[in-house]
Amino acid sequence: MPAPRTRPAAALVLVSALAALGLGPAAAPAAAATVPTGAGSYSDTRPAGTSGPTTNTGAPVTPKVTAAAQGKPVPTNDWWSSLAFQRYGDNPYSTPMYGHPLTYQAVAGGLELGYPTTPAIVGDGRQYEFAHKADLTLGLTGLNSPDTKADAWSDWTVTPYWSDGARTLRTTIGHGMPFVYAKGTGGDARITTATAPAVFADQGNVLGITVAGHHYALFAPSGTDWNVSGSSITAGLGGKDYFSVAVLPSTDALATYRKYAYSFVTGSTVNWSYDAGTVRATYTLTTEAKEGTERGTLQALYRHQWLNTTDPLTPYTYVSPRGTMKVRESASFTTGQKAAATLPGLPGSGVDTARLRGYLNEVANSADPFSGAVDTYWTGKALGKLAQLVPLADQIGETALRDKLLGQIKGRLQEWFTAGGANEFSYDTAWKTLTGYPASYGSDTELNDHYFHYGYYVYAAAIVAQYDAGWAADSAWGAMVKTLVRDTANPSRTDTAFPFLRGFDVYAGHSWASGHQGFAAGNNQESSSESTNLSAALVLWGSATGNTQLRDLGTYLLTTEGEAIAQYWFDADQQVFPGAFQHDTAGMVWGSGAAYATWWTANPEEIHGINVLPVTGGSLHLGGHKDAVRRNIAEMERENPGPAVEWRDILWEFQSFADPVAAKAKWDAGNAGYTPEAGESKAHTYHWLTALDALGAPDATVTGSIPTSAVFTKGTTRTYVAHNHGSTARTVTFSDGKSLSVPARSTASGTGVGGTDPDPDPEPSTGNTFQLRTGGTLTTATGATAGSDTVLSAQGGNHDGAPNRPTVYEARGVNGTLKAGGSTAFRLQIDAGTAVGLGQQARISYDLTGDGTFERTETYHYFATDPVTGWEEYAQSRGLKSATGTLGNLTGGTVRLEIWSAIGNGDSRVQTGTDRSVVVIPFD
């Protein structure tokens, strides 16, 4: 290895502002060539002959931001990044940006707005798109700006800026925002429409117009007036500097939208948490009142959000490439999901030790375990392949083989984690990013794919940390691992060296691959599974090093993106893809839609496999929608035609998430004559398929009390698995009441002890009396064993009438005819133990058609429990506190029960599995 480049004496200044997050220094050094980081280092100058970010013609480019934003880490790889990353020399504004429901494009005269509602099927039927088409342009009279710059940004909003010397314009736009908020000086507000507008409401400073079949409302300051002249609409601002525009779901929504027209959004923030198998996230907009005192707002939720919130939604909806968006009348909403499982490896159930040993030796003793890889991506895949084998070797007692694999991983990581050699990481002070050289796939010139590449490094490092805590210490190589995390998935918004969550779009629910977003179709992501590979790596690294913040971040990212993948890549509920798009999967998701394609081939195997690899213990979320897996495999075999050939191992493993016996049979018939995919090995594929053949498919209906736990079901038998990274034994509890004792630094599996319910997710049957089941289900089935669920503490707060961390039960697919004069009844057995001053509250909601909108919500007065151990009965006789909406017949509907602590400072329990805790609905 060549000698490292030296640094000037006393040039290194490190700031430890992120010590609390355990991510190391918060700022890059002021002047240095090599930056020591633990035992490793990176450079702040690129290796000779390499390039950083450029235009498409190769000209170097720096962030296109205003003076106010200079020096701040720019969030590349976002839905709006073309505002700041000028990929094309002749376009200093932006390419189309897909905020949903609105689309945008910056031009010299201001901001184009569109609301595409009709998909086009293009590319021989292989792609659907809701392409940007301007309905109107928001600007100022006379504005002719030479460029548009990014002035400010937050978690999912951005403020573009225009100035031509005489006029300035700022607009704030974002995901889920039906409003555009504008501030301008030097000219009147001006709206230019693509065609002559039809005016449906003229209220002086409020104007309702229809353009191309889409309804918009224009809001100028009070006391002003909009003037329409052909396709030009103007309003003097009356000495003010603000106005706004909203796309309306219907003309009759004008009054509701007018209420919030002057409550300007100033920022957006997500806050997440993980607790005992549940991930919660609260999405909040900050606002300021330009007129009056109203500080609320309206926001449209994507499908993956409204499926997982109990917050009330309005009847208003929008069309989007991600299916129906539903509108909430509030500045915040909260989602709750069962956490996605992550394991460092599957248990070795059914595995032939000798056979596995042979396969492991083939890899560990090969002439080049890295298969000639030199760049960040292919090196990463090789690291990932080796990392998957370490727990398998350990599992069968092959400690020498395990340590050899660990040594190979450490050696290659340490080469990359040391500046000055053939491989190194280099920090770009302008773009605030860390790029590995040799780079690949535009990771240098376009800032593409950092999270794809580096996720493998973090995953491999996490496996090393599981066996060698000293290697993972900050003083050793852990500091470099954390620097890669800061580049790709930084949880800090105050870090001055790297942006917050570079690749992950918290509102869209998934990551974006392109650093510059410079496409007419917006940004894109092909291999969503390589994004979740980083998330799983964070879970494992955080667990192995005791960093619960990174562990919980990884769990939030994995759980959120897992749901987004199911809905937007696999169309799991068949409610997202347009009917004319005749495919069951998308290889790529774009801002404007999705495509049955990959970047490099039209071969069906790769299209269907690219969102599966690498298959790891972080891939188990793919088993949450088994019908989607089956549709996917069936289409691949139709399109191929025939079974997989090139990526057979990846697709066998994919099938195992739904039908492990069939997948194992394919391995048995075809394992002799194939070449593993570059990130796979016969050792891992054999172990994976054999284990799931014995255990059954992943069961996402049951969660464990730590992120590194999972459940598998074969027939009527559940197997519980958990890995304990800690130094002492622990008991892991599961949501169906079972528990598992796990020794220190070990994986354990078994059928569990205790528990009450062999089936926490039974299908609703006939009748109108529903029992509660541990696992979150309401069912008319009887004959279960009594158990209980925890009702979480109110933590000293007052949540009377507002669900807070509720315990939720649902029955789906319910049909029934409303009884004339009938009403809801319930009785719930509650026990607060000896805790004083607790009160539990219930809400029952009805979604009449199962479309996610609850037409009727009933909240009952809370029940004050006594401090004596034993069940007490809470019933509807406590009285109705509030109700919204009306009941009607149920057609494939959903009935939801929420129980939470309205007051108090302690947990309580609700009984499940008996006819003493039931909900009775007023239906025949």
Side-chain angles (χ1 to χ4, degrees):
M1 180 183 294
R5 292 191 291 275
T6 59
R7 57 188 173 88
L12 187 63
V13 180
L14 296 178
V15 181
S16 299
L18 284 190
L21 286 174
L23 289 181
T34 298
V35 183
T37 307
S41 58
Y42 60 87
S43 172
D44 72 348
T45 55
R46 289 189 298 274
T50 63
S51 180
T54 67
T55 66
N56 65 320
T57 59
V61 64
T62 56
K64 185 164 60 76
V65 298
T66 64
Q70 283 289 341
K72 296 180 180 179
V74 174
T76 57
N77 306 79
D78 216 330
W79 67 272
W80 58 265
S81 293
S82 62
L83 281 170
F85 192 141
Q86 185 176 342
R87 179 63 175 163
Y88 308 103
D90 60 352
N91 181 0
Y93 304 103
S94 82
T95 53
M97 301 173 289
Y98 293 81
H100 307 144
L102 285 167
T103 61
Y104 315 94
Q105 185 165 6
V107 294
L111 184 68
E112 290 183 353
L113 308 182
Y115 173 41
T117 53
T118 302
I121 308 299
V122 299
D124 295 325
R126 300 172 73 89
Q127 182 167 352
Y128 75 85
E129 59 181 17
F130 293 77
H132 169 70
K133 182 179 180 181
D135 287 338
L136 50 86
T137 302
L138 179 157
L140 302 173
T141 53
L143 178 64
N144 185 23
S145 180
D147 57 25
T148 308
K149 299 176 179 178
D151 185 55
W153 49 81
S154 61
D155 288 8
W156 64 88
T157 67
V158 64
T159 300
Y161 171 87
W162 295 256
S163 177
D164 61 9
R167 289 156 288 268
T168 64
L169 174 68
R170 289 176 174 85
T171 63
T172 296
I173 57 178
H175 277 316
M177 286 170 47
F179 284 95
V180 176
Y181 307 96
K183 295 181 68 176
T185 63
D188 293 342
R190 175 171 178 152
I191 307 297
T192 305
T193 58
T195 59
V199 176
F200 65 82
D202 187 348
Q203 301 167 8
N205 67 317
V206 177
L207 188 71
I209 61 172
T210 301
V211 180
H214 305 139
H215 310 301
Y216 293 90
L218 318 181
F219 303 97
S222 296
T224 63
D225 190 31
W226 290 100
N227 298 294
V228 181
S229 177
S231 61
S232 177
I233 306 172
T234 58
L237 297 179
K240 309 294 186 182
D241 67 351
Y242 57 84
F243 61 103
S244 65
V245 175
V247 61
L248 303 179
S250 59
T251 56
D252 61 8
L254 178 59
T256 300
Y257 279 63
R258 179 174 185 169
K259 178 180 177 182
Y260 302 107
Y262 304 101
S263 177
F264 274 40
V265 168
T266 58
S268 57
T269 305
V270 63
N271 289 291
W272 60 85
S273 65
Y274 167 81
D275 181 46
T278 299
V279 171
R280 298 193 187 280
T282 298
Y283 300 81
T284 303
L285 295 173
T286 55
T287 62
E288 64 176 359
K290 292 296 185 181
E291 294 185 7
T293 60
E294 180 59 63
R295 296 287 300 275
T297 191
L298 296 159
Q299 48 188 327
L301 279 63
Y302 284 116
R303 179 175 180 83
H304 77 276
Q305 295 168 324
W306 58 255
L307 280 174
N308 292 291
T309 187
T310 58
D311 292 338
L313 304 175
T314 73
Y316 300 129
T317 62
Y318 289 103
V319 173
S320 88
R322 310 291 178 256
T324 300
M325 300 183 79
K326 299 190 176 187
V327 177
R328 174 154 166 80
E329 192 173 3
S330 174
S332 70
F333 64 91
T334 298
T335 59
Q337 294 176 253
K338 294 179 179 179
T342 304
L343 293 172
L346 297 183
S349 306
V351 170
D352 182 302
T353 298
R355 186 176 186 182
L356 179 59
R357 183 185 300 112
Y359 286 143
L360 288 168
N361 275 306
E362 286 179 10
V363 178
N365 297 324
S366 65
D368 179 11
F370 292 90
S371 304
V374 295
D375 63 66
T376 48
Y377 180 70
W378 291 102
T379 298
K381 283 182 70 75
L383 286 166
K385 175 179 68 176
L386 297 176
Q388 296 304 315
L389 303 184
V390 172
L392 310 191
D394 186 58
Q395 197 175 88
I396 61 173
E398 289 288 337
T399 55
L401 187 56
R402 176 200 68 191
D403 292 344
K404 182 174 184 177
L405 291 165
L406 285 169
Q408 292 169 340
I409 295 169
K410 290 177 185 178
R412 189 55 58 96
L413 285 175
Q414 288 167 200
E415 288 179 15
W416 277 92
F417 288 171
T418 304
N423 318 304
E424 72 171 25
F425 286 96
S426 172
Y427 182 76
D428 187 313
T429 56
W431 285 96
K432 311 289 187 184
T433 190
L434 194 73
T435 301
Y437 293 93
S440 53
Y441 304 107
S443 60
D444 50 355
T445 57
E446 302 178 59
L447 300 185
N448 295 341
D449 300 350
H450 282 202
Y451 62 107
F452 287 166
H453 298 203
Y454 306 169
Y456 288 107
Y457 290 68
V458 178
Y459 200 109
I463 295 298
V464 173
Q466 182 176 323
Y467 295 92
D468 188 347
W471 185 93
D474 286 351
S475 58
W477 301 96
M480 276 300 296
V481 178
K482 292 177 181 179
T483 305
L484 266 64
V485 172
R486 287 170 67 196
D487 182 70
T488 53
N490 190 2
S492 172
R493 299 177 181 86
T494 59
D495 189 343
T496 59
F498 296 96
F500 172 69
L501 294 181
R502 180 187 303 280
F504 192 79
D505 185 327
V506 297
Y507 204 89
H510 59 81
S511 297
W512 295 112
S514 170
H516 52 74
Q517 184 261 310
F519 302 95
N523 215 324
N524 71 89
Q525 178 167 257
E526 180 186 58
S527 184
S528 60
S529 48
E530 288 182 302
S531 177
T532 56
N533 186 50
L534 172 60
S535 304
L538 294 175
V539 174
L540 295 178
W541 174 265
S543 298
T545 61
N547 189 326
T548 56
Q549 288 174 308
L550 287 184
R551 181 203 70 179
D552 293 355
L553 167 64
T555 306
Y556 161 69
L557 297 177
L558 180 61
T559 302
T560 304
E561 189 154 22
E563 179 70 18
I565 292 166
Q567 298 300 328
Y568 310 139
W569 274 260
F570 298 152
D571 196 15
D573 299 331
Q574 299 181 291
Q575 296 293 313
V576 173
F577 294 171
F581 181 68
Q582 297 295 303
H583 294 285
D584 290 310
T585 193
M588 304 173 69
V589 162
W590 288 88
S592 65
Y596 185 77
T598 72
W599 277 111
W600 81 99
T601 181
N603 183 35
E605 293 186 33
E606 282 83 349
I607 293 171
H608 288 266
I610 192 59
N611 287 289
V612 180
L613 62 80
V615 176
T616 75
S619 306
L620 300 175
H621 66 93
L622 293 172
H625 296 273
K626 293 178 174 56
D627 285 346
V629 174
R630 294 181 181 113
R631 290 195 301 269
N632 212 309
I633 294 295
E635 181 181 18
M636 184 278 295
E637 294 186 347
R638 289 195 307 270
E639 295 284 334
N640 212 27
V645 177
E646 295 178 15
W647 277 11
R648 63 181 75 180
D649 44 5
I650 299 298
L651 291 159
W652 291 338
E653 289 168 319
F654 188 28
Q655 186 171 16
S656 74
F657 291 113
D659 298 307
V661 173
K664 176 62 163 47
K666 288 181 177 179
W667 157 270
D668 289 339
N671 69 78
Y674 82 98
T675 300
E677 188 273 333
E680 260 298 349
S681 64
K682 285 193 174 182
H684 179 257
T685 301
Y686 165 68
H687 183 278
W688 182 276
L689 295 173
T690 303
L692 288 191
D693 182 43
L695 298 169
D699 185 345
T701 68
V702 183
T703 57
S705 57
I706 60 173
T708 52
S709 59
V711 179
F712 304 86
T713 298
K714 184 172 186 177
T716 60
T717 301
R718 282 207 180 98
T719 301
Y720 303 81
V721 182
H723 185 85
N724 175 13
H725 285 87
S727 58
T728 59
R730 69 178 300 165
T731 297
V732 177
T733 58
F734 292 85
S735 60
D736 63 353
K738 294 283 189 178
S739 63
L740 184 69
S741 179
V742 190
R745 299 188 179 95
S746 300
T747 296
S749 62
T751 54
V753 298
T756 59
D757 182 16
D759 186 5
D761 194 21
E763 291 298 319
S765 57
T766 59
N768 64 355
T769 299
F770 291 82
Q771 293 186 12
L772 285 59
R773 290 286 192 270
T774 295
T777 301
L778 293 174
T779 177
T780 56
T782 60
T785 304
S788 66
D789 287 335
T790 299
V791 180
L792 295 173
S793 169
Q795 299 175 313
N798 187 331
H799 303 288
D800 186 12
N804 176 62
R805 304 195 300 164
T807 302
V808 181
Y809 304 87
E810 283 189 346
R812 298 190 177 190
V814 181
N815 299 307
T817 302
L818 180 64
K819 292 181 180 179
S823 61
T824 305
F826 65 86
R827 60 179 181 270
L828 303 172
Q829 306 305 310
I830 304 291
D831 180 22
T834 59
V836 177
L838 273 57
Q840 294 73 36
Q841 195 158 27
R843 171 179 288 179
I844 298 171
S845 304
Y846 297 88
D847 170 1
L848 299 179
T849 61
D851 66 353
T853 298
F854 286 84
E855 287 83 3
R856 172 72 171 176
T857 298
E858 302 172 359
T859 303
Y860 292 83
H861 289 291
Y862 69 76
F863 176 70
T865 47
D866 63 34
V868 178
T869 300
W871 297 114
E872 301 174 76
E873 188 165 283
Y874 172 28
Q876 81 284 347
S877 57
R878 287 290 301 160
L880 195 62
K881 177 180 175 65
S882 65
T884 61
T886 57
L887 282 171
N889 293 337
L890 284 162
T891 305
T894 299
V895 180
R896 174 183 289 168
L897 167 66
E898 300 166 80
I899 310 168
W900 69 97
S901 296
I903 58 172
N905 202 8
D907 293 346
S908 55
R909 295 186 300 145
V910 59
Q911 191 178 59
T912 61
T914 79
D915 60 4
R916 298 183 63 216
S917 280
V918 296
V919 175
V920 182
I921 63 173
F923 293 84
D924 292 322

